[in-house]
Amino acid sequence: MIKDTPKKKTDLIESLKASNAKLQTEIRERKKAEKALQELVKTYQETSLKLRTLINAMPDIVCFKDGTGKWLEANKSMLELFDIEKVDYHGKSDAELAEISDFYQEAFLNCQHSDKQAWSKKSLSRGEEVIQKKDGTVKVYDVIKVPLFYEDGKRNGIVVLGRDITEQKQTEKVMMRLASIVESSNDAIIGNTLAGIIHSWNSGAEEIYGYSLSEVKGRSISMLAIPERPNEIPQILANITAGVGIDNYETVHLRKDGKHIDVALTISPIKDTQDNVIGVSTIARDISDRKQVEQSLEQLRYQHQLILDSAGEGICVIDRLSKISFVNPAAAKMTGYTIKELVNHDWNCIIYGDENKTKIYRTSTKKKSQACQFTTTLEEGIVCQVTDELFGRRDGSFFPVEYVSTPIVEQGKITGAVVTFKDITERLAVEQMKDEFISVVSHELRTPLSSIHGALGLLKSGLLNQAPARGRRMLDIAVANTTRLVRLVNDILDLERLHSHQVAMVKQTCNVSELMMQAVSEMQPIAEKTRITLSVKPIDTKLWGCADRLIQTLTNLLSNAIKYSPTGKTVWLTASKQRINQHQVDNSNNLTSGVQGDRAVAPTCIIDSGYQVVIIVKDEGRGIPADKIESIFGRFQQVDASDSRQKGGTGLGLAICRSIVQQHEGKIWAESTLGKGSTFFVTLPILD
Ligand code: ADP
């Protein structure tokens, strides 16, 4: 065994000391390194925590997976999306998580599938993923997948980032829907700036105005205004700038082809989020068809109004409560009210007047008091035709009417009635006249017929065989009455034919003097028989007429003048030319005649212009009483009932004269002073 030397001992101690110092240094360095590492770990842990906090705070989903698709890290949003907050997802694949979370199975598998695609693409891929949540909501995510690789090309991991774009998608959907509404609208929807510059123009606008978007974009909306309304669009824009919208404003716009088009505009301001007006939206609806319908309706309404206004019959519309809702001018005129007075008033009160008065009137006129039948129309919906009713006037008087009431039925309900009525005063008067005429005619015919019958009967019986003088007298009576009968029948037929215009008036140019001379020569023998002097002063002027009929008129007047003049007197037939526009004495218009002193005269009227001839037949006979001066021109009208017997008249002569003169656009009338004589005037228009 080798013994240690002191040198060796010292060396060993030195070496141990050096090793110890080295060890100490190493220990210090290691401690330092450990401390640095601890600080690094701490920093890393702090950073990692911050990062995780940050990632967790993000609304977007974030997930890291390793190269085999196993989940390494996921943020809160991601865990919430798949409801796996409580699941330890670390190291689990999508397929494994799909098994754990049944509801999101499909979503996990889809995720796995899109991961695969991203791996194979080897670059960032982006797509939308739709995920249905348990609460029924559907989420849409814009997902970005970034595959990571090692340098040698092996898969390292994948980063999944996703943003919730559900709201954005919904907004887009709404916007698209709105855009499609705008586009599919038949109305023109136009967007323009406050200065009126067009920036949007839908297909409805193209259809209505004929311009395409490219033709109008950037141009002023004033291009749609018609030249007659230059201030309209500036005014509208000014209103919109002031924040005032315009609703359903009807105007006329100009189309591309230059045609005018009726449009209804709804114009609204477009505002930004701060409520500032930044533009104008104009919706224009083509109302040409409506306008045309309105125009047609207006035309129809006008026509109906015209028909109602010009109808001769009174027309009233009455509501269910007997209130007048419409009345035409004829109804107002007949009843003496104004239309305004009648509308909204009670039909019974106004038309039937005061109930008491009506009763008194009806009793006094011996009319049967009948209940107003038109109420059955209102109550039962029956059309009533009444021919003998009385309606009241405003002044309390009544007039006879015939009326028809027709129910107004709307949707099966009686809502009122239309009453059309006619004033039958004139018709009743004509009917009365006819009755009187028939009784007079039958009486006039019966008298001579009875005489003839009596005379012939006596002759036939042979009783007068022994008395030839009496027999002859009977024959004379029969002949005279036959003559009268023939004359009467002829006159009646004549008058009737004249009135019904059955007599052909062969009109030609006639010389008035020739007509006068002809009439005088016809009457001369009769005048001579009664020793009446006929004094004629003809006038040489021409007129357009029927010579035979005019001569018939003059001979009839002369015949009367001779008939009613005492023997030895004179009858004058004179004529003169006269301007028409001077006051004429005229009794031919059924106006009331008057009396001036003891002179009976006719009322006056003014005739317009030109010349006429006035033919005058004047006598010095018995005259005509004032109250008969007009009536003698009526049928069977005689001053004295004995005139027909004594003078052989029929009472029809003057009626025939008036008819003839009227058919020549002339007038006939008489003036007379009782006991002094009569003057008959005939005026006829003459040829230029
Ligand atoms: P008549 O055939 O009876 O003469 P008219 O119609 O010619 O019928 O005359 C009607 C009535 O007028 C006559 O019956 C007579 O009473 C009256 N009359 C007509 N002309 C005259 C006259 N010139 N003078 C007086 N009375 C007259």
Side-chain angles (χ1 to χ4, degrees), residues 491 556-557 560-565 619 621-624 632-634 636-640 643-644 647-657 672 677-678 680:
D491 279 356
N556 195 50
L557 293 177
N560 280 352
I562 295 165
K563 253 196 304 195
Y564 300 107
S565 291
D619 65 57
R622 69 181 197 197
I624 302 158
I632 51 169
F633 290 92
F636 298 108
Q637 296 298 324
Q638 290 175 318
V639 171
D640 202 311
D643 284 348
S644 59
K647 307 288 182 186
T650 60
L652 290 170
L654 287 177
I656 292 172
C657 289
S672 182
S678 309
F680 282 79

Side-chain angles (χ1 to χ4, degrees), residues 455-508:
L456 291 177
L458 265 172
L459 285 170
K460 194 190 167 209
S461 67
L463 284 172
L464 301 178
N465 283 354
Q466 310 307 319
R470 272 194 71 197
R472 235 186 341 269
R473 216 168 61 237
M474 283 302 126
L475 276 175
D476 285 344
I477 289 169
V479 170
N481 277 297
T482 313
T483 311
R484 191 171 151 214
L485 214 54
V486 169
R487 196 167 56 235
L488 195 68
V489 171
N490 280 344
D491 279 356
I492 291 169
L493 287 176
D494 219 9
L495 196 60
E496 219 35 59
R497 283 197 201 124
L498 274 168
H499 268 229
S500 55
H501 296 273
Q502 281 176 17
V503 178
M505 290 261 176
V506 188
K507 288 186 179 170
Q508 57 196 29

Side-chain angles (χ1 to χ4, degrees), residues 424-452:
I424 53 167
T425 311
E426 234 169 75
R427 201 193 73 197
L428 291 183
V430 169
E431 276 170 11
Q432 196 181 347
M433 230 168 72
K434 232 177 203 166
D435 291 347
E436 281 169 13
F437 181 72
I438 288 166
S439 89
V440 171
V441 167
S442 47
H443 176 260
E444 292 291 330
L445 292 175
R446 200 186 304 128
T447 314
L449 264 177
S450 306
S451 301
I452 296 164

